[in-house]
Amino acid sequence: MLEELLRLLQDGNTHNVLELSEILGDDAEGILSKLDFLEKQGYIRKVSLAGNCDHHCIGCHGCDQVAPNLLMWEVIKR
């Protein structure tokens, strides 16, 4: 499942944790745990988009969210 999660993070689209949980058949806590593990292993890193949105994200709904800080992850090790 970790490999599939990495593929989703690299597919050119944005996915929130709930979308990832639906796609992968896991709960949100499980996805967050896997993201944390991948980050600690050096495969991904958290990127804060707080106020830096250019509104050109494919499939992103972050600008529609109420939360002022939008966290995303990017793959840094393939």
Side-chain angles (χ1 to χ4, degrees), residues 29-48:
E29 289 179 23
I31 296 298
L32 289 171
S33 174
K34 287 169 182 61
L35 290 167
D36 184 54
F37 174 80
L38 290 170
E39 185 175 20
K40 287 179 180 173
Q41 295 301 310
Y43 285 94
I44 63 175
R45 70 176 162 203
K46 236 180 258 185
V47 179
S48 177

Side-chain angles (χ1 to χ4, degrees), residues 8-71:
L8 286 168
L9 295 174
Q10 296 178 83
D11 72 2
N13 295 307
T14 58
H15 305 283
N16 64 38
V17 172
L18 293 177
E19 290 171 337
L20 291 171
S21 67
E22 289 176 10
I23 293 168
L24 297 173
D26 199 354
D27 60 18
E29 289 179 23
I31 296 298
L32 289 171
S33 174
K34 287 169 182 61
L35 290 167
D36 184 54
F37 174 80
L38 290 170
E39 185 175 20
K40 287 179 180 173
Q41 295 301 310
Y43 285 94
I44 63 175
R45 70 176 162 203
K46 236 180 258 185
V47 179
S48 177
L49 298 178
N52 297 329
C53 182
D54 63 5
H55 305 284
H56 297 291
C57 304
I58 299 171
C60 177
H61 300 289
C63 297
D64 300 333
Q65 304 300 317
V66 176
N69 295 322
L70 175 66
L71 286 177

